[in-house]
Amino acid sequence: MIFLLVMGSLVENYINDEFKPFDTIVTLVVTVLFNSQWKYGMEVFGAFASRDVLLAVMVVTFLWIVFKGQDRKIELSFLFFLVIGGELYEEGIRRLFHSLHPVHAPLASHALYSFPSEQTLTAFVIFGFCAYLFVRHSHKARLQAVAFFLFMIVLFLIGLSRVYFNEQYPSDVAAGYAFGGVWLSLNVLVMELFRFSRRFSKLRNESN
């Protein structure tokens, strides 16, 4: 629900071209706080959203489900649907908003479809699903807290690197978080409904 509300607000501001003050201020702050000495670090932060790293996270998630997961068929099915459907989802919405794109100053990356950010959206979905499964199946509160904070830190650093290199606007990055959160939340909700339905059917069959 929170992600839907944030997404709705971002879409309204985007259509009305009200992001310029926000983008200007955030970009200025990032420029002041992080000078050229941060370039290598930012390249490392940005690498977290690379295809190689995201593929590695997906493989780790796959292996986690196979060896540690519960309701493996459901979780594996949603892992594949989350990734494949997510590609279609982000490509579709970026093309949609490109057709509504107001005039902006050019980006260093010359991105045609920068809203929402493909990198932050995809990273949110993949890292988020991995973190969700780990938190759900872990029975140690400390490990759950560590997984959550690592997830938040990685996402923040990815977004920061995109703004630092002037590859995307801060509003694009924020929208990537919001749209990614909506897609991840929807998949997790449906997956848990499937899980509950399966267990309920199993209990009913046993009682009969």
Side-chain angles (χ1 to χ4, degrees):
M1 181 61 71
I2 294 176
F3 288 118
L4 280 173
L5 293 174
V6 173
M7 184 180 72
S9 177
L10 290 171
V11 169
E12 181 180 1
N13 290 334
Y14 178 86
I15 293 175
N16 294 328
D17 196 14
E18 297 176 349
F19 277 130
K20 183 171 283 188
F22 170 76
D23 289 335
T24 302
I25 292 173
V26 174
T27 302
L28 178 61
V29 171
V30 171
T31 303
V32 171
L33 294 179
F34 303 96
N35 56 28
S36 58
Q37 295 179 348
W38 283 84
K39 183 177 180 180
Y40 176 75
M42 291 297 174
E43 289 175 348
V44 174
F45 299 157
F48 287 131
S50 67
R51 291 194 176 273
D52 290 340
V53 172
L54 294 178
L55 179 61
V57 174
M58 286 188 284
V59 171
V60 169
T61 306
F62 176 84
L63 294 175
W64 171 271
I65 294 172
V66 171
F67 293 105
K68 296 288 187 178
Q70 300 174 3
D71 301 315
R72 291 180 177 85
K73 289 183 179 179
I74 293 177
E75 292 178 351
L76 287 174
S77 297
F78 273 90
L79 172 62
F80 288 114
F81 180 77
L82 183 89
V83 174
I84 297 173
E87 280 291 317
L88 299 175
Y89 168 73
E90 61 89 5
E91 182 68 19
I93 58 177
R94 286 192 300 116
R95 287 182 178 274
L96 172 63
F97 285 113
H98 175 67
S99 65
L100 304 173
H101 202 290
V103 177
H104 283 303
L107 290 166
S109 62
H110 304 289
L112 291 177
Y113 311 112
S114 63
F115 184 94
S117 165
E118 176 186 4
Q119 288 72 22
T120 54
L121 189 158
T122 306
F124 195 110
V125 170
I126 295 176
F127 280 104
F129 192 71
C130 179
Y132 171 78
L133 290 178
F134 180 81
V135 169
R136 191 185 191 285
H137 299 315
S138 175
H139 301 293
K140 296 182 179 180
R142 183 174 298 179
L143 291 178
Q144 293 175 345
V146 169
F148 175 77
F149 283 112
L150 283 177
F151 167 64
M152 298 299 293
I153 290 170
V154 167
L155 287 181
F156 173 76
L157 294 177
I158 290 172
L160 179 63
S161 70
R162 305 301 295 176
V163 177
Y164 175 85
F165 288 114
N166 195 31
E167 293 177 322
Q168 288 169 334
Y169 300 105
S171 55
D172 298 335
V173 171
Y177 294 143
F179 280 87
V182 168
W183 181 249
L184 175 63
S185 300
L186 176 63
N187 279 271
V188 168
L189 175 62
V190 176
M191 182 178 69
E192 293 302 329
L193 289 175
F194 267 92
R195 197 194 305 271
F196 174 79
S197 175
R198 181 177 179 179
R199 291 181 179 177
F200 180 77
S201 298
K202 184 177 181 181
L203 289 173
R204 186 174 60 182
N205 292 335
E206 289 177 353
S207 62
N208 292 334

